[in-house]
């Protein structure tokens, strides 16, 4: 079966066409600057990237261009749209309504819309993408795969905030967690790779990308995660602050004469390692600056690694132990010196870093020494493949 995986943002759209039998990517790419001007990047596996600048006033035109590229007689990946058997859509927020992926019926779309105020930047864009696809491929089954679903198994003690209970009841203010597709994929893959029984395992997944989150996965189920009502809570990220004293918001608003939305913009877009270092949100730049002795870059890297280590410690407490710690996403898969810094805090878990193995980039590999009591492992994430698998499970 061929599955088109769509990850639709407000002005961009990433796509992959995957053959679910071989799990091969047939073609992939993205549309950028939708509603501004428009740029399609398309690559059939084995061929060079093609870039087309063309107007894309709406997501419908963008998806139409993707479909045209996929069936192009010269460079297309399929002969006709009939060869696309299903579409899997990433949906950011499913609130408490969706604990698993689901076929996108009209009722389901209404329920997703009801979650819009929990993710005002993401869900409306996801819905626009879904509706555009439905119009262009009315007979193709569509599935929604939610970033929040995997975390719905968290117990109440992990998801309730110390706030008036009525905010939870009236507005759904609670911890939801994000990157669920990745945490689910990586925890399963880690157990498989390490030959562990997932149903009898304690795994901590550190998804360290531009957005970063960490989760405690007990017997295959999420019991806690660092992101909260929104993806701002938890770890220090590329440009997001992660945990801060909430009083800082009022303090900064007064000192800098900013409105609340302006302060939120600072916390989301001008903070994290970017705001701390003044260098970059990208760890490749930060590593160069770190090696050049840039003090603010050094501080940013130290704070980043220390925060991850503290969360790992709290999840060891939450699960009363840990068998394996899995590093994933851009930084988790590639940035050896940050993994080294994090693991340096974990001696109490009996982990010793295998420095040679830790040079690994982007492949499954154990990076702790064979005599370590807890295993540290790198597991590349693949959210598109996870969405493809979920889609196939629901439509076949
Ligand atoms: P997101 O999907 O949240 O945008 P990613 O998972 O792509 O983020 O992670 C981006 C981060 O990964 C950047 O800080 C980048 O520096 C870091 N990184 C380090 N090495 C690489 C690499 N070889 N390829 C991609 N990202 C890398």
């Amino acid at each position: 079966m061929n599955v088109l995986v769509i990850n639709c943002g407000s002005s961009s759209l990433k796509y992959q066409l995957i053959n679910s039998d071989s799990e091969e990517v047939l073609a992939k790419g993205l549309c950028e600057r939708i509603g501004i001007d428009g740029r399609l990047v398309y690559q059939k596996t084995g061929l060079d990237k093609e870039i087309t600048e063309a107007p894309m006033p709406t997501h419908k035109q963008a998806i139409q261009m993707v479909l045209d590229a996929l069936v192009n007689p010269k460079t297309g990946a399929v002969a006709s749209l009939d060869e696309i058997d299903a579409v899997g859509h990433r949906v950011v927020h499913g609130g408490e309504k969706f604990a698993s992926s689901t076929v996108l019926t009209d009722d389901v779309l209404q329920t997703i819309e009801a979650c819009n105020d929990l993710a005002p930047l993401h869900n409306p864009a996801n819905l626009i993408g879904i509706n555009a696809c439905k119009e262009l491929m009315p007979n193709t089954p569509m599935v929604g795969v939610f970033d929040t679903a995997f975390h719905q198994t968290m117990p109440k003690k992990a998801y309730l905030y110390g706030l008036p209970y009525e905010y939870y009841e009236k507005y759904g203010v609670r911890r939801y967690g994000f990157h669920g597709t990745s945490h689910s994929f990586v925890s399963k893959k880690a157990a498989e790779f390490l030959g562990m029984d997932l149903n009898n395992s304690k795994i901590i997944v550190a998804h360290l990308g531009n957005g970063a989150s960490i989760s405690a996965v007990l017997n295959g189920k999420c019991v806690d995660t660092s992101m909260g009502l929104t993806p701002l809570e938890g770890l220090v990220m590329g440009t997001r602050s992660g945990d801060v004293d909430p009083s800082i918001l009022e303090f900064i608003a007064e000192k800098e004469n900013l409105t609340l939305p302006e302060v939120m913009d600072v916390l989301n877009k001008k903070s994290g390692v970017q705001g701390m270092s003044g260098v970059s949100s990208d760890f490749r730049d930060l590593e160069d600056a770190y090696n050049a002795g840039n003090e603010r870059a050094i501080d940013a890297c130290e704070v980043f690694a220390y925060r991850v280590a503290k969360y790992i410690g709290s999840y060891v407490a939450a699960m009363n132990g840990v068998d394996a710690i899995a590093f994933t996403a851009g930084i988790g898969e590639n940035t050896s010196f940050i993994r080294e810094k994090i693991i340096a805090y974990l001696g109490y878990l009996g982990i010793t870093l295998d420095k040679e193995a830790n040079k690994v980039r982007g492949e499954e590999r154990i990076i702790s020494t064979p005599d370590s009591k807890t295993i540290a492992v790198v597991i590349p994430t693949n959210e598109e493949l996870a969405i493809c698998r979920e889609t196939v499970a629901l439509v076949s």
Side-chain angles (χ1 to χ4, degrees), residues 206-229:
H207 176 110
L208 309 178
N210 223 338
S213 70
I214 183 160
S215 67
V217 184
L218 179 64
N219 303 330
K221 295 204 163 52
C222 176
V223 292
D224 208 342
T225 192
S226 58
M227 284 179 167
L229 175 74

Side-chain angles (χ1 to χ4, degrees), residues 209-211 281-284 329-331 334-335 361:
N210 223 338
S281 61
D282 191 308
F283 270 81
R284 288 165 284 200
I331 302 157
N334 295 296
T335 313
R361 276 178 188 275

Side-chain angles (χ1 to χ4, degrees), residues 84-390:
I84 299 178
D85 303 290
V87 184
H89 292 270
R90 175 188 183 210
V91 182
V92 169
H93 218 306
E96 287 188 324
K97 309 273 194 233
F98 299 103
S100 57
S101 306
T102 182
V103 174
L104 293 169
T105 61
D106 289 343
D107 282 353
V108 166
L109 291 184
Q110 274 180 13
T111 313
I112 295 175
E113 205 172 336
C115 300
N116 274 4
D117 62 349
L118 290 170
L121 293 179
H122 293 102
N123 269 29
N126 300 154
L127 281 167
I128 290 171
I130 293 166
N131 285 321
C133 267
K134 277 185 104 123
E135 272 185 58
L136 295 167
M137 308 168 82
N139 301 317
T140 309
M142 312 258 157
V143 168
V145 180
F146 300 88
D147 269 28
T148 47
F150 181 62
H151 304 301
Q152 278 294 305
T153 48
M154 278 188 287
K156 225 172 185 183
K157 64 185 176 187
Y159 71 68
L160 281 184
Y161 288 114
L163 290 170
Y165 195 74
E166 66 198 75
Y167 297 159
Y168 167 58
E169 290 181 308
K170 283 201 285 191
Y171 312 121
V173 173
R174 52 158 283 180
R175 174 182 312 288
Y176 290 99
F178 297 88
H179 296 138
T181 314
S182 175
H183 287 284
S184 167
F185 179 87
V186 170
S187 53
K188 285 190 188 80
K189 193 90 189 178
E192 191 187 303
F193 179 67
L194 299 173
M196 282 165 31
D197 174 9
L198 183 68
N199 297 319
N200 187 18
S201 66
K202 297 174 177 177
I203 299 175
I204 293 174
V205 178
H207 176 110
L208 309 178
N210 223 338
S213 70
I214 183 160
S215 67
V217 184
L218 179 64
N219 303 330
K221 295 204 163 52
C222 176
V223 292
D224 208 342
T225 192
S226 58
M227 284 179 167
L229 175 74
T230 73
L232 181 55
E233 193 182 347
L235 302 177
V236 175
M237 309 180 209
T239 63
R240 288 177 230 158
S241 64
D243 300 336
V244 293
D245 177 348
S247 305
I248 293 173
L249 279 72
E250 188 188 23
F251 186 85
I252 294 296
E254 277 178 17
K255 293 282 181 205
E256 296 271 312
N257 197 20
L258 297 176
T259 62
L260 189 54
E262 286 167 343
V263 177
M264 294 313 296
D265 197 58
V266 172
L267 294 189
N268 273 301
K269 297 188 185 145
K270 297 177 185 149
S271 301
V273 289
Q274 157 84 66
M276 292 189 70
S277 67
V279 172
S280 172
S281 61
D282 191 308
F283 270 81
R284 288 165 284 200
D285 304 329
L286 284 168
E287 187 169 5
D288 291 344
Y290 182 100
N291 289 331
N294 179 317
E295 262 183 51
R296 277 174 55 188
I298 292 171
D299 285 346
C301 293
E302 295 297 350
V303 169
F304 180 90
Y306 179 63
R307 180 76 58 90
V308 175
K310 281 208 297 186
Y311 263 97
I312 289 174
S314 66
Y315 290 167
V316 173
M319 295 193 289
N320 189 24
V322 61
D323 301 316
I325 298 167
F327 291 91
T328 196
I331 302 157
E333 290 168 30
N334 295 296
T335 313
S336 309
F337 91 108
I338 291 293
R339 288 194 302 249
E340 179 170 355
K341 279 191 183 300
I342 295 166
I343 290 173
Y345 287 105
L346 307 180
Y348 70 99
L349 294 173
I351 303 187
T352 310
L353 183 74
D354 179 335
K355 286 199 172 184
E356 197 48 41
N358 189 41
K359 289 180 181 158
V360 68
R361 276 178 188 275
E363 64 181 83
E364 288 163 12
R365 182 141 183 200
I366 295 175
I367 55 169
S368 48
T369 55
D371 60 343
S372 291
K373 291 198 188 79
T374 304
I375 300 169
V377 63
V378 172
I379 303 283
T381 192
N382 190 338
E383 286 165 284
E384 290 79 11
L385 179 58
I387 292 173
C388 168
R389 286 178 182 169
E390 294 274 314

